[in-house]
Amino acid sequence: MREKIAAEQALAEGSIVGIAGGACGGDTLFHEVCAELGIPTQMLLALPRERYCVTSVQQGGPEWVERYYRLCAKLNPRIMMESEELPKWLRGREGYDIWQRSSVWMLFNALAMHCKELTLVALWDTGSGSGHGGTDEMVALVTDNGHKLLRLPAEELKALH
């Protein structure tokens, strides 16, 4: 991950900013690597800190929880919603959930920064998920809109366990 991010940093004309959630694994590693490289990051959470920790961090174990809360203290994350219940105007959308909405929200936040170029660095196992939300959703949004994808093969990490 460090090599890919450093290579993107070298290509940039001017400053760059990283945006990620706070999930254990790739999100946390992304924020930490960017900090090492002097790249500022924004943490965008779909839910309030504690609820997000329950849904997206705790399964990694106590070390990930500690790292998550250290990042929260440092980065002061933005929160998308107070609960997992979608707004009334979205509740009728079949198969749509808070995680899909979060992917769209993160992409729009990146685009709102008036960036010249957008690159998604994704620790991704090419679609072993549910088919909606999470990394699968973000990869589809980014590539369908003509932006750059740098895939870090998650299946190689899984093979190490």
Side-chain angles (χ1 to χ4, degrees):
M1 182 180 290
R2 189 177 205 292
E3 290 173 14
K4 295 274 188 180
I5 294 171
E8 281 300 297
Q9 185 179 30
L11 291 174
E13 295 177 14
S15 62
I16 62 174
V17 174
I19 296 176
C24 62
D27 288 355
T28 297
L29 294 170
F30 178 81
H31 287 293
E32 292 171 349
V33 166
C34 285
E36 289 174 14
L37 295 171
I39 300 168
T41 62
Q42 294 180 1
M43 182 186 278
L44 303 181
L45 303 179
L47 296 166
R49 292 177 192 196
E50 292 76 16
R51 185 72 196 135
Y52 189 91
C53 184
V54 169
T55 63
S56 302
V57 181
Q58 282 184 340
Q59 72 271 17
E63 178 187 331
W64 288 104
V65 172
E66 291 170 15
R67 290 164 78 174
Y68 166 74
Y69 279 115
R70 276 196 303 271
L71 284 171
C72 285
K74 178 182 172 189
L75 299 173
N76 192 27
R78 289 185 51 211
I79 309 300
M80 180 180 76
M81 294 173 45
E82 291 301 313
S83 76
E84 292 184 46
E85 183 176 19
L86 291 171
K88 288 181 183 178
W89 59 276
L90 282 175
R91 288 182 200 155
R93 245 179 114 176
E94 190 174 330
Y96 194 76
D97 63 19
I98 187 174
W99 305 110
Q100 286 178 299
R101 186 166 195 232
S102 178
S103 294
V104 173
W105 180 63
M106 291 178 82
L107 177 60
F108 285 175
N109 269 274
L111 294 172
M113 296 175 79
H114 305 289
C115 57
K116 292 181 183 177
E117 297 176 21
L118 185 138
T119 301
L120 174 64
V121 180
L123 180 59
W124 183 46
D125 59 5
T126 63
S128 68
S130 63
H132 67 277
T135 308
D136 294 347
E137 180 76 11
M138 184 61 80
V139 167
L141 284 169
V142 167
T143 57
D144 289 352
N145 285 286
H147 301 291
K148 185 176 175 181
L149 169 66
L150 293 178
R151 183 177 90 83
L152 305 175
E155 62 274 11
E156 290 178 12
L157 289 178
K158 288 179 182 177
L160 296 175
H161 292 294

